[in-house]
Amino acid sequence: MTEKPVVLMPEDIQRIMGKDAQRNNILAAKMVSEIVKTTLGPKGMDKMLVSPTNDIVVTNDGVTILDEMQIEHPAAKMMVEIAKTQESEVGDGTTTAVMIAGKLLENAEKLLDKKIHPTIITKGYRIAAEKTQEILKEISLKISPEDEDILKQIAMTAMTGKGAEGLKEKFAEIIVKAVKQIGDFQTSLTEFGKKQIGDFQSSAEDIERKQIQHNGKIDLNDIKIEKSKGNSIKDTELISGIVLDKEKVSADMPKVVYDAKIALVDFALELKNPEIDTKISISSPEQLQSFIQQEEESIKDMVGKIEMSGANVVFCQKGVDDFAQYLLSKKNIYVCRRVAKSDMEKISKATGGKIVSNLNELASPELGYAQIVEEVKHGEDTLTYIKGCKNPKALTILIHGGTEHVLDETERALKDGMGDVASSMKTGLVVPGGGAIEIELAHRLRHFGQSLSGREQLAVEEFASALEFIPTTLAENAGIDPIDILTELKSRHDAGEKNAGINLFTNKVENVLEARIIEPYKIKSQAINSASEVAIMILRIDDVIASTDKTGSMNSMTGGMPGMPGY
Ligand code: ADP
Ligand code: MG
């Protein structure tokens, strides 16, 4: 008797099972990690990314690279998500996070080859991840928001080797000043006093005892970053207030307005646009005349209302037509049009003005206030400065630079620095960089692993060695032999030198705290957390069931990465 074959799924479903699924996913994850690896650290290289429309991005920022690459393989996409989470949670450390995840999976493959079941591996990894977090917290060093020197070092460490390299000292100052200004801290300073790097002794538990008080409110969106092409990058400045990439709409308007009373309008100051399908039939010149008059009356009415409100500055989110411009300039009102919505919101927050979205409110809006609104020319760009705002926390970092690529990469470097300073201030915890923290974690983790059963111990061992991938790559990217460095680092940590790391200013293994290579605790805790979560998730997959799209091509399971051979 012949039985009919059982059909579970339609034919166009692609399925990869068991070992194949695992190996395919691990390979994809490794490839993602390989891509960003060469960019790690101050001696890392940059990538040039060219979009289908020939836009060019030159960067060594992990998340930017992965984002631009439009990766499609499902497991590889999970790796990209790690970078995105890292970016939104900390604002730096994206390469580190992706590399640790990639190495965890690569090392898991070695265990799979030894016929260790994925369940054992994931269990070992989970134990290791938890223990690592515990150790990390224990050995992190505490700082207070008043430790400006240390915060500057953190910003500088974040920017070393980036677009801002030559000016990182100046930028670090701008960053620390800016972040401190927007942060809300009530630190009980007397508990700490001013500290020197050498006093970095106490552990995280001390902090809990001494209770750093802060409400953790640092919203980096309060710092506007504006870019201006023309001057030199060294002219980059911190401006207290808002800088808009806009010029006033008419040359007849005043160049400067003191004591600015600002109306924020989110509709067009224009003749009403008739709907596409509205037909106006005009049969005589008189009719046309009266129609135009009517429209002009409505513009006059709008401008009259603005004048009545007492506003001498208008920021309009939409268009402002010629007739309205003419009337407004006759009243000496400063007007910018087509201001981005996000900027309208920033101006509203900074000046205390409310955005008006209704014609009737126009005569009595809640006006914003600033001491000065001024048009300023820089090279090719004309900008509007809004200074002396009601809210002193409104800040803009205005980046100057010769080309768009320089401006963009400088912005990314500044954002890394801002993220690191903000997160160090929030948690009050920092760690030594240059791979020192990773080596110390690996060292202590191995020690802990000895208390576990054989197979789990192997997984913990692989977890530890994945962490060591950071210092070895830092060395490799600087052209230094990674094995020599790892051996030296390990032996010095065995001897109790817990701050020994690779200093890439001198290319030697040294006390990196003394060399002032310092990073926020949160970079590492977040990176270890998401890397291990994703590695565990990928290892637990033994079946990939993918539907194909209409064109019949496989839904990205085989050759999803542009420029990459299929696998
Ligand atoms: P990520 O995207 O992970 O932040 P980066 O390219 O910014 O990657 O590199 C960060 C790494 O570079 C960290 O491990 C940090 O400790 C290290 N680093 C920064 N400055 C130095 C330095 N002067 N010497 C050695 N390592 C450094
Ligand atoms: Mg970084």
Side-chain angles (χ1 to χ4, degrees):
M1 223 174 78
T2 51
E3 275 181 36
K4 269 193 179 167
V6 183
V7 177
L8 263 188
M9 295 178 297
E11 258 173 35
D12 55 356
I13 296 277
Q14 222 237 349
R15 189 166 181 201
I16 307 178
M17 277 185 290
K19 279 212 183 73
D20 288 343
Q22 245 150 21
R23 303 288 163 140
N24 181 296
N25 284 339
I26 291 174
L27 184 59
K30 270 198 317 202
M31 286 174 76
V32 173
S33 149
E34 285 294 319
I35 289 165
V36 292
K37 182 184 158 187
T38 58
T39 70
L40 183 80
K43 302 284 168 74
M45 304 295 277
D46 295 349
K47 305 259 172 206
M48 180 186 263
L49 301 149
V50 185
S51 80
T53 52
N54 275 337
D55 286 332
I56 295 169
V57 177
V58 176
T59 185
N60 78 15
D61 186 49
V63 70
T64 308
I65 296 166
L66 296 176
D67 213 20
E68 295 277 338
M69 283 186 63
Q70 301 169 13
I71 283 168
E72 281 189 351
H73 187 288
K77 268 184 158 168
M78 290 165 79
M79 297 285 284
V80 178
E81 280 309 307
I82 299 178
K84 289 192 177 159
T85 312
Q86 183 80 17
E87 178 75 1
S88 66
E89 291 288 309
V90 193
D92 192 15
T94 54
T95 314
T96 302
V98 169
M99 282 178 56
I100 294 177
K103 203 64 177 179
L104 282 174
L105 285 162
E106 187 180 331
N107 291 356
E109 203 171 24
K110 286 191 226 156
L111 299 175
L112 290 171
D113 289 343
K114 289 187 191 154
K115 303 268 179 298
I116 297 176
H117 194 271
T119 314
I120 309 274
I121 305 174
T122 53
K123 186 174 171 209
Y125 272 10
R126 198 165 283 131
I127 295 170
E130 240 165 63
K131 189 69 193 175
T132 309
Q133 293 290 359
E134 198 184 304
I135 304 168
L136 179 62
K137 192 133 199 214
E138 206 177 286
I139 61 181
S140 293
L141 308 156
K142 67 180 173 52
I143 62 161
S144 96
E146 297 307 311
D147 292 327
E148 281 193 22
D149 265 1
I150 297 170
L151 291 170
K152 272 181 208 156
Q153 299 301 328
I154 291 167
M156 279 163 66
T157 301
M159 292 184 289
T160 309
K162 302 272 144 105
E165 170 74 37
L167 290 157
K168 61 181 178 182
E169 199 154 343
K170 178 189 167 134
F171 286 178
E173 240 163 71
I174 290 180
I175 289 171
V176 172
K177 199 168 162 200
V179 176
K180 281 194 78 164
Q181 203 163 327
I182 59 158
D184 253 333
F185 295 98
Q186 319 159 302
T187 317
S188 44
L189 266 182
T190 45
E191 298 252 23
F192 302 101
K194 281 270 171 193
K195 279 194 301 294
Q196 299 298 314
I197 288 277
D199 301 336
F200 260 149
Q201 305 294 2
S202 32
S203 65
E205 281 128 293
D206 281 335
I207 302 223
E208 271 151 68
R209 252 182 283 136
K210 288 183 181 168
Q211 287 280 311
I212 292 188
Q213 292 290 327
H214 70 77
N215 53 21
K217 260 194 226 141
I218 306 180
D219 184 0
L220 288 179
N221 287 324
D222 283 347
I223 304 175
K224 183 173 188 306
I225 296 190
E226 190 57 74
K227 291 170 281 188
S228 162
K229 206 154 71 176
N231 291 358
S232 149
I233 185 166
K234 63 176 188 294
D235 298 319
T236 295
E237 55 195 322
L238 178 65
I239 289 157
S240 130
I242 303 276
V243 176
L244 275 187
D245 183 17
K246 289 281 158 200
E247 52 191 337
K248 58 188 165 67
V249 288
S250 149
D252 298 332
M253 291 172 176
K255 250 186 126 49
V256 193
V257 177
Y258 295 99
D259 236 354
K261 296 178 193 69
I262 301 165
L264 297 164
V265 180
D266 84 349
F267 51 86
L269 303 176
E270 283 178 347
L271 299 181
K272 263 190 227 83
N273 240 340
E275 298 287 314
I276 312 292
D277 51 3
T278 321
K279 247 198 201 139
I280 313 163
S281 35
I282 292 170
S283 45
S284 69
E286 291 75 35
Q287 251 180 339
L288 178 63
Q289 192 58 30
S290 97
F291 176 73
I292 290 173
Q293 243 167 23
Q294 223 178 321
E295 292 286 271
E296 283 184 357
E297 280 310 312
S298 80
I299 296 273
K300 274 188 191 150
D301 178 53
M302 277 193 238
V303 173
K305 280 180 174 155
I306 290 171
E307 193 191 5
M308 225 161 72
S309 74
N312 50 14
V313 174
V314 176
F315 293 115
C316 182
Q317 199 179 314
K318 304 270 167 59
V320 179
D321 73 10
D322 289 351
F323 187 56
Q325 286 177 27
Y326 166 76
L327 294 175
L328 286 160
S329 59
K330 271 190 29 183
K331 309 280 180 209
N332 266 333
I333 297 175
Y334 186 112
V335 184
C336 292
R337 67 176 163 183
R338 304 203 189 284
V339 177
K341 184 161 191 253
S342 59
D343 285 341
M344 292 292 283
E345 281 157 7
K346 284 205 169 85
I347 303 171
S348 163
K349 197 168 170 191
T351 65
K354 222 181 125 206
I355 299 173
V356 182
S357 47
N358 172 328
L359 204 62
N360 300 326
E361 284 173 39
L362 203 54
S364 56
E366 278 173 46
L367 295 175
Y369 179 80
Q371 282 164 356
I372 300 176
V373 171
E374 183 180 16
E375 193 184 71
V376 178
K377 260 192 172 11
H378 287 294
E380 312 167 19
D381 281 349
T382 308
L383 308 169
T384 293
Y385 282 41
I386 308 164
K387 292 201 285 199
C389 299
K390 206 172 194 172
N391 176 0
K393 284 188 179 172
L395 292 177
T396 303
I397 298 178
L398 182 60
I399 308 173
H400 297 275
T403 74
E404 223 130 286
H405 304 299
V406 169
L407 289 172
D408 289 348
E409 187 65 347
T410 306
E411 176 179 10
R412 285 189 282 270
L414 275 170
K415 281 189 169 161
D416 284 355
M418 281 160 59
D420 284 4
V421 169
S423 110
S424 306
M425 279 165 97
K426 272 192 216 166
T427 61
L429 293 175
V430 298
V431 298
I437 189 74
E438 286 87 356
I439 295 285
E440 185 64 17
L441 288 170
H443 170 76
R444 296 195 188 207
L445 194 56
R446 287 206 175 90
H447 186 73
F448 157 80
Q450 285 163 7
S451 63
L452 300 173
S453 78
R455 295 182 159 227
E456 279 160 14
Q457 191 177 332
L458 285 180
V460 171
E461 166 68 32
E462 292 304 343
F463 196 102
S465 96
L467 296 173
E468 289 165 352
F469 189 37
I470 300 300
T472 52
T473 305
L474 285 172
E476 202 178 322
N477 286 348
I480 305 167
D481 188 280
I483 297 172
D484 287 353
I485 287 291
L486 186 59
T487 316
E488 186 176 352
L489 281 170
K490 277 172 139 175
S491 79
R492 290 179 62 167
H493 280 253
D494 285 349
E497 273 190 67
K498 61 178 191 219
N499 296 326
I502 173 163
N503 177 353
L504 291 176
F505 297 126
T506 60
N507 285 358
K508 291 207 179 76
V509 172
E510 300 179 349
N511 181 328
V512 283
L513 274 191
E514 273 164 19
R516 306 210 147 199
I517 302 165
I518 312 168
E519 294 186 276
Y521 152 87
K522 188 77 201 282
I523 281 197
K524 306 298 174 183
S525 72
Q526 180 66 43
I528 291 164
N529 187 24
S530 36
S532 54
E533 269 179 15
V534 167
I536 288 169
M537 190 180 271
I538 289 178
L539 283 171
R540 289 173 51 87
I541 297 169
D542 77 337
D543 200 349
V544 179
I545 304 158
S547 55
T548 52
D549 62 23
K550 293 276 182 306
T551 60
S553 82
M554 231 93 66
N555 200 353
S556 57
M557 281 169 60
T558 42
M561 283 191 236
M564 296 285 151
Y567 45 87

